[in-house]
Amino acid sequence: MTPHGNWNLSVVPVQEFVLEGFQGGLKTQALLFALFLALYLAAVLGNLTMIVVITLDARLHSPMYFFLKNLSFLDLCYSSVIYPKALANVLSSAKVISFGGCATQFFLISLMITTEGFLLAVMAYDRFLAICSPLHYPITMCPSACARLVLGCYGGGCFNAILQTSFTFSLPFCSSNHIDHFFCDVPPLPLLACADTAINELVLFGICGLIIVGTTLGVLISYAYITVTILRMRSGAGRHKLFSTCGSHMTAVSLFYGTLFVMYAQPGGVESMEQGKVVSVFYTLVIPVLNPLIYSLRNKEVKEALRSLGHKHTAP
């Protein structure tokens, strides 16, 4: 990739960036603010509800729900890293974020999203063990093993976030500090660099592609074995229950990995930055809203726990 901008521009230390966000007049900005606020509040409410319900209901103290609680925590975190600032910028004419604030936001988003990718693969592995090896499952997925798996997900996410952040923010930035996005993300930042970013982009896309493809293969292999095992079952009710449980996870996986693959796993995956912004809204805000609905509406145990919690608070 060739450097962007004018080679004659002086390279000065960038102290702050301007997040340009979405283009449009006052009515468009007001509509975006209302939409972002409604979706963000829905994401916070839905994921907090899942965390509270799983924590308080003893029937949900199992490995599957332990991982689901961590998934809700991650969805809540990376939405909160992005959207309070994005909402403030919609109302502001400055739309400024400091260099350190941008790097911190970039790091946290990379950490949370990568960790979620690993966690979804772990959740598929958990379902594989529960269905295909039920006798060994309680021993294999003991609480300490579950905790180690989650810590491993965070470790992998942290490793990727450190690489992504160090590679991106070691670039020399030109005089222009306007980021054509509503948060500090991978695609728009190299466009401000004064140096050749071909190797930088190759490494970053290679890491993202390896993570996405690797975890996706893990999910697909797990569910291939799960499907074969379920189809061999004699009980129709048992098959329906397992397919329903696994279907929720596969829906969440398809939505998450599909959007990430478009954004990060292939150079030039989106045709324009405006299209990239729309895709970003989907995986950073729409998916965190949908995940609690996917896992609660199709899960009998979660619905019963929600009703039980509701009755406790409404009972005289």
Side-chain angles (χ1 to χ4, degrees):
M1 175 181 174
T2 58
H4 295 266
N6 192 335
W7 277 98
N8 295 321
L9 286 173
S10 60
V11 181
V12 295
V14 174
Q15 301 298 320
E16 60 187 23
F17 292 103
V18 177
L19 295 168
E20 294 186 348
F22 288 91
Q23 303 301 314
L26 186 61
K27 289 184 178 180
T28 302
Q29 297 301 312
L31 180 62
L32 284 173
F33 181 84
L35 178 63
F36 282 178
L37 181 61
L39 288 173
Y40 177 62
L41 291 177
V44 170
L45 179 61
N47 286 290
L48 276 178
T49 300
M50 291 296 290
I51 292 170
V52 170
V53 167
I54 293 171
T55 301
L56 296 181
D57 198 304
R59 293 171 295 180
L60 303 182
H61 292 177
S62 65
M64 181 176 76
Y65 294 107
F66 173 72
F67 296 133
L68 181 54
K69 182 166 72 172
N70 279 276
L71 179 69
S72 292
F73 174 74
L74 289 168
D75 283 343
L76 178 63
C77 284
Y78 71 71
S79 293
S80 297
V81 167
I82 296 172
Y83 284 93
K85 180 64 175 176
L87 287 166
N89 283 345
V90 170
L91 300 177
S92 171
S93 58
K95 305 182 187 300
V96 169
I97 185 169
S98 68
F99 183 90
C102 186
T104 301
Q105 186 185 62
F106 185 99
F107 174 84
L108 291 174
I109 293 166
S110 298
L111 168 63
M112 298 299 173
I113 290 178
T114 308
T115 302
E116 179 158 332
F118 284 124
L119 183 63
L120 288 169
V122 166
M123 291 172 72
Y125 175 67
D126 170 71
R127 292 298 83 208
F128 160 73
L129 289 176
I131 295 170
C132 301
S133 185
L135 296 179
H136 296 94
Y137 178 73
I139 299 172
T140 307
M141 297 301 288
C142 62
S144 60
C146 293
R148 286 194 297 270
L149 285 169
V150 170
L151 286 175
C153 292
Y154 277 97
C158 188
F159 176 74
N160 179 57
I162 290 171
L163 286 179
Q164 296 273 2
T165 307
S166 59
F167 266 89
T168 301
F169 286 88
S170 62
L171 290 170
F173 294 105
C174 297
S175 297
S176 175
N177 63 343
H178 287 249
I179 300 174
D180 189 13
H181 215 302
F182 61 95
F183 66 95
C184 294
D185 198 12
V186 174
L189 281 164
L191 302 179
L192 307 180
C194 302
D196 187 349
T197 60
I199 295 177
N200 188 282
E201 289 187 353
L202 183 63
V203 171
L204 296 182
F205 279 118
I207 293 169
C208 290
L210 184 64
I211 291 172
I212 294 172
V213 173
T215 51
T216 302
L217 283 175
V219 171
L220 292 176
I221 292 170
S222 296
Y223 273 97
Y225 279 102
I226 288 170
T227 302
V228 171
T229 303
I230 293 176
L231 291 175
R232 289 176 178 172
M233 290 181 173
R234 296 181 179 179
S235 170
R239 285 198 301 269
H240 176 75
K241 180 181 178 181
L242 290 175
F243 270 127
S244 177
T245 302
C246 296
S248 299
H249 184 62
M250 282 303 297
T251 302
V253 166
S254 300
L255 291 171
F256 183 79
Y257 283 125
T259 51
L260 287 193
F261 185 82
V262 169
M263 281 296 296
Y264 302 115
Q266 48 175 341
V270 291
E271 295 178 358
S272 68
M273 198 56 66
E274 288 300 315
Q275 183 182 346
K277 293 175 195 177
V278 174
V279 176
S280 296
V281 171
F282 189 80
Y283 78 81
T284 60
L285 192 56
V286 176
I287 288 178
V289 172
L290 291 177
N291 276 347
L293 296 175
I294 291 169
Y295 283 103
S296 62
L297 294 178
R298 299 190 61 176
N299 191 303
K300 183 180 178 181
E301 293 173 322
V302 172
K303 287 189 285 187
E304 289 177 352
L306 284 168
R307 282 195 292 267
S308 177
L309 185 64
H311 290 156
K312 286 180 182 179
H313 285 280
T314 56

